[in-house]
Amino acid sequence: QQCAGEFMTLLVSALRGEAEWSTSELSIFLKHAMFHQEKSTLVCASCGGSGGTETGEMGFTLHLTGFKDTSLFSLLKDYLSEEKLDPSNAWRCSRCGVKTCAAKKISLSSPPPVLPVLLKRTSSTLNKNKSKVTFAKTLDFSGFYEGEESLFYNLIGVVNHHGSWAASGHYTADAVGSDGKWFTFNDTSCGPTWGYPNYSTASLLLFERKN
């Protein structure tokens, strides 16, 4: 099931400069087209001092935990919610020097024109989580990114994985045209998409920022 996400990551990495035919212009284009800024801040439980890092990330990788149905919005809220580090991953504060179970919070900036969302359904045993992840064709991201009080994304593509194991199965894709009509791509065949995208097979979602 990870093949779709891994392939996209490898392809974009190559296009950004790891291939002989890539160019600096192409790398800059992809950086602005699909990457946002993600800042991870740690707050010391002892003195309140903080530290962190900021990186460019290609959308989101959201892990499905447990085997219960959920929604994309809930997964995103969980991803961005504050968490406390466990003792085995304690952080040493540069301000007071104490090693504590710091509070970690993620903040976002620079929303990209195209937002990939990978639903990670696999476990270490390669079992696949087939729980339903519901999502709307318009994603309300208002307030998620710094300085963006009104931000919406439209769903433009879905990559589906069919099968019970991550190491095998079959991929199909659903995509929407400029006329708003959805089509399903299955190997050499292509036809209209019947009904809504499948909540149990969706593994990679592509959203486009709404003007």
Side-chain angles (χ1 to χ4, degrees):
Q1 184 262 327
Q2 287 303 103
C3 292
E6 291 173 357
F7 175 76
M8 182 181 68
T9 300
L10 289 171
L11 177 61
V12 172
S13 296
L15 292 172
R16 292 189 69 196
E18 297 178 12
E20 294 181 359
W21 36 264
S22 64
T23 64
S24 58
E25 291 82 4
L26 183 57
S27 177
I28 293 172
F29 168 77
L30 288 169
K31 179 180 178 181
H32 290 287
M34 303 180 73
F35 284 72
H36 62 206
Q37 291 300 115
E38 192 170 295
K39 184 177 181 180
S40 177
T41 302
L42 297 172
V43 179
C44 178
S46 178
C47 72
S50 63
T53 58
E54 185 170 355
T55 58
E57 299 290 338
M58 186 171 62
F60 300 96
T61 297
L62 305 177
H63 297 257
L64 273 67
T65 57
F67 290 87
K68 61 180 181 179
D69 295 345
T70 184
S71 68
L72 179 59
F73 185 77
S74 294
L75 292 175
L76 287 167
K77 293 284 283 186
D78 289 343
Y79 180 83
L80 296 172
S81 63
E82 184 176 299
E83 65 172 309
K84 186 177 181 181
L85 300 182
D86 58 59
S88 63
N89 196 30
W91 172 70
R92 186 176 299 280
C93 176
S94 59
R95 181 177 173 184
C96 68
V98 176
K99 202 170 185 180
T100 66
C101 297
K104 178 183 176 182
K105 187 169 180 60
I106 294 174
S107 57
L108 306 171
S109 61
S110 304
V114 178
L115 183 67
V117 179
L118 176 64
L119 301 177
K120 192 169 184 181
R121 296 179 174 273
T122 57
S123 65
S124 58
T125 58
L126 296 182
N127 287 324
K128 180 183 172 184
N129 188 328
K130 294 191 286 186
S131 301
K132 291 181 179 180
V133 180
T134 58
F135 48 87
K137 289 185 178 180
T138 297
L139 183 66
D140 185 356
F141 250 104
S142 302
F144 278 71
Y145 286 86
E146 295 178 356
E148 298 288 345
E149 298 304 320
S150 180
L151 180 63
F152 295 86
Y153 280 86
N154 289 329
L155 183 68
I156 58 173
V158 181
V159 176
N160 305 286
H161 178 265
H162 306 271
S164 301
W165 295 89
S168 62
H170 180 66
Y171 280 100
T172 62
D174 303 314
V176 64
S178 57
D179 57 359
K181 295 180 180 180
W182 281 81
F183 287 86
T184 296
F185 299 86
N186 186 356
D187 289 339
T188 58
S189 65
C190 173
T193 300
W194 299 106
Y196 206 79
N198 193 314
Y199 293 136
S200 299
T201 60
S203 63
L204 177 63
L205 311 175
L206 284 178
F207 290 90
E208 182 179 47
R209 184 170 179 174
K210 188 176 181 180
N211 294 327

